[in-house]
Structure formats: C-alpha cells, structure tokens
Amino acid sequence: MIRTNHLEKRFGSVGALRGVSLTVAEGSATALIGANGAGKSTLIRILMNLYGPARGSATVLGVDSRRLSPRELAQIGYVAESQEIPPQFTVAGYLEYLRPFYPNWDRDLEASLLARFRLPGDRAIGDLSHGMRMKMGLLCALPFHPKLLILDEPLNGLDPMTRDDLIEGMLSNAEGVTILISSQEVSEIENLITHLAMLDDGRLVLDEPVEALAGRFREVRVTLDREAVLPTSPDPAWLQLQASGNVLSFVDCEFSETRMELVKKYFGEARRMEAQPMGLRSIFTALARARQAGGQS
C-alpha cells in the first residue's frame, strides 16, 4: 500500500528525511514514531503529495505519490493535526459538500460516527474545539470506506476521553483498512497497531512487527550477593545499564531465555534474575535514549 525508496527531503541546510525506505503492507496498521522533528510529518506530507521529495521515490496504492489522481485520493482517508477544514461550514453542511466526491459514501456510517463523536450538525466548524475538529477529521475520512487511512498526530493535545473516542472510532470502523498513524502517544495506540516504525533525525532506525519487537525486549534486573559494578565491555544489546547497591538493571533488546546464560557469564551466580516484558512506550523510550547517548540498537 505504501513503499518509499531511499526517500530524502531537505529544508535549506536541514535534512528532514535521510534515505528512508519504508514498506506498509496491505491490511497492516503501522505506527510511525519518533521525537518532534524526527521527520514523521514530512514523510506523510510527501505520501500525500503535499511535499515533493528531493531524492528517492514514494508510491501509494501502487502510484507515484507525485501523480496521485482523484481515483487514488478517493481511496485514501487523511487526517492531520494541522489540517484545516473550512471554518464557515457547519458540520452537516461540510458533510453534504463532501458526499458527491465519493460514490460509495455510507450515510449510515456517517450517522453512526456523528452520534459516537457527539458532533452537533448545526455547529460552525470554526467554533469547534481542537478535540472536536479532530473528531470531525476522522468523521470525514471514514464514511467512504477508504483502503488506506493516513493519520498525522491525530491524538496530539487531546484529553484522555477524546483520545478514547477517536481510537474506538478507528477500531470499530476501520476493519480491513491499512493504517499509517504517526503519534508520540505510543501506549494509547498499542492495541491498534501491528507494526512499529521509528524515525530518528530523518533516518528510519526501526521497522518491525509489534509481536516480534515485544518478544525481544525485556527489562532485566539482576540481584547479586555483592555490590553491583557496571561491566566495562557490556553486550551491545544491553541498554540503560544501571547499578544501585547490589542490583544491576538494564534493557535487553535481543532477549531470549538462553541469553540469561550470558548474564551469568558476565556477573557470575546471582541471588535473583528477573526479565519483565515491556510495553511499546517503554521500548520506544529505551531506544530513543540509547540513540541520544550515541548508542545503536
């Protein structure tokens, strides 16, 4: 559904994207994560042909992103935090304006979403709160049953209840739809996504199924019979090594049960060794801090 090949984009002397090659398979739900300025919105805007790439290429629905026609655009739902909807329209008036553009517009789904999101049809869009405008964006992106849903920071700045409404709206009405969602709220979308892609300083540093990622990351805690000392040459897959008293802790990003033998090799027999699964937010934080410190994983 989406494929980029060595994609590059610059703004003056700043490299916003640096050789990004990303594939989003049909039927998957990929979270595009990274710190502010990592290049997430730039990548999405290239996919939507709002920006042109400096080098490389991007295809969406099998078509070069620079040549997307109304035929392809009618199969893509796009919602962005920065998206502007004409403020003079009422909610009902704008939906009436959109329907003729989409031959398969589902009026029943439109009505269902209006009720779920509690959007007043007679309210001017310019008078809506930020959260209600994001609901409006999703309401406009789903009734024509898109093949691809592209969401750029849709949860940013929203209160928890509004986030829940948006996520439930996607989960309930996007079955079979391929999703690309950029977000810093990783824990909020953990139940929605199947793949995780991470950008750092314009580079794609991670692209992996969530199941595989969760399987190889563990928080390890080793309790010794002596004072814990950080190893001088630790395993490169160990992140955030810390020693406190007789306890040594770290994140193992290549965990397996057999690797616990490696822990014994480094530290000798331990009083206790624990390896706890990690949530996606904790994994993202560990990776981001490792890269900030100059590490690779």
Side-chain angles (χ1 to χ4, degrees):
M1 298 295 275
I2 294 173
R3 185 185 301 275
T4 70
N5 184 36
H6 300 293
L7 202 61
E8 296 189 10
K9 180 67 177 178
R10 301 188 68 84
F11 296 99
S13 61
V14 178
L17 295 177
R18 307 165 188 258
V20 173
S21 296
L22 172 69
T23 300
V24 177
E26 184 174 0
S28 66
T30 298
L32 185 64
I33 64 172
N36 288 333
K40 304 186 299 296
S41 292
T42 298
L43 174 57
I44 285 177
R45 288 168 185 169
I46 288 176
L47 295 176
M48 293 304 301
N49 196 26
L50 300 175
Y51 291 159
R55 291 183 181 176
S57 62
T59 59
V60 181
L61 302 177
V63 176
D64 189 309
S65 63
R66 294 166 292 188
R67 296 180 175 84
L68 290 174
S69 70
R71 178 178 178 274
E72 288 80 42
L73 293 173
Q75 301 175 73
I76 303 170
Y78 171 59
V79 182
E81 181 195 12
S82 59
Q83 192 172 4
E84 293 187 6
I85 302 175
Q88 69 275 16
F89 277 97
T90 63
V91 169
Y94 192 59
L95 292 171
E96 184 177 358
Y97 167 76
L98 286 180
R99 290 184 203 118
F101 292 97
Y102 302 96
N104 60 337
W105 188 277
D106 187 336
R107 292 290 296 267
D108 290 338
L109 179 55
E110 174 196 314
S112 173
L113 289 168
L114 268 172
R116 173 186 287 274
F117 293 154
R118 298 179 293 278
L119 287 167
D122 59 351
R123 182 80 59 85
I125 292 171
D127 294 334
L128 298 179
S129 67
H130 173 63
M132 294 181 78
R133 286 197 300 272
M134 293 310 300
K135 290 180 180 180
M136 184 66 186
L138 191 59
L139 169 60
C140 296
L142 288 174
F144 56 93
H145 298 287
K147 289 184 177 180
L148 176 64
L149 189 59
I150 297 179
L151 308 166
D152 188 7
E153 298 286 0
L155 306 179
N156 199 22
L158 302 184
D159 63 81
M161 185 175 294
T162 302
R163 288 180 188 172
D164 288 347
D165 283 346
L166 282 174
I167 291 169
E168 284 300 315
M170 285 186 278
L171 287 172
S172 301
N173 299 286
E175 184 177 353
V177 179
T178 303
I179 297 174
L180 176 65
I181 176 171
S182 74
S183 179
Q184 296 186 57
E185 308 295 339
V186 185
S187 59
E188 300 284 351
I189 59 174
E190 194 160 348
N191 294 329
L192 173 68
I193 62 174
T194 61
H195 290 69
L196 198 70
M198 179 177 172
L199 287 174
D200 181 64
D201 195 25
R203 294 182 175 87
L204 185 68
V205 298
L206 179 74
D207 182 13
E208 193 169 343
V210 167
E211 185 176 356
L213 190 66
R216 70 180 178 89
F217 271 81
R218 292 291 187 276
E219 287 180 335
V220 178
R221 182 182 174 92
V222 182
T223 304
L224 303 171
D225 288 321
R226 62 186 187 280
E227 185 177 357
V229 178
L230 294 179
T232 55
S233 300
D235 187 281
W238 292 349
L239 311 177
Q240 297 182 243
L241 276 157
Q242 296 180 354
S244 176
N246 66 335
V247 176
L248 189 135
S249 60
F250 57 91
V251 171
D252 188 345
C253 61
E254 294 296 343
F255 176 81
S256 67
E257 292 297 336
T258 57
R259 277 178 61 84
M260 293 304 282
E261 296 300 319
L262 183 63
V263 176
K264 294 180 181 179
K265 178 181 175 182
Y266 269 92
F267 308 112
E269 289 296 327
R271 184 187 306 171
R272 188 176 183 184
M273 291 191 298
E274 303 169 279
Q276 298 294 327
M278 300 173 62
L280 292 184
R281 182 181 179 86
S282 297
I283 292 173
F284 166 58
T285 300
L287 289 171
R289 287 177 176 170
R291 295 194 66 82
Q292 287 177 357
Q296 300 293 322
S297 56

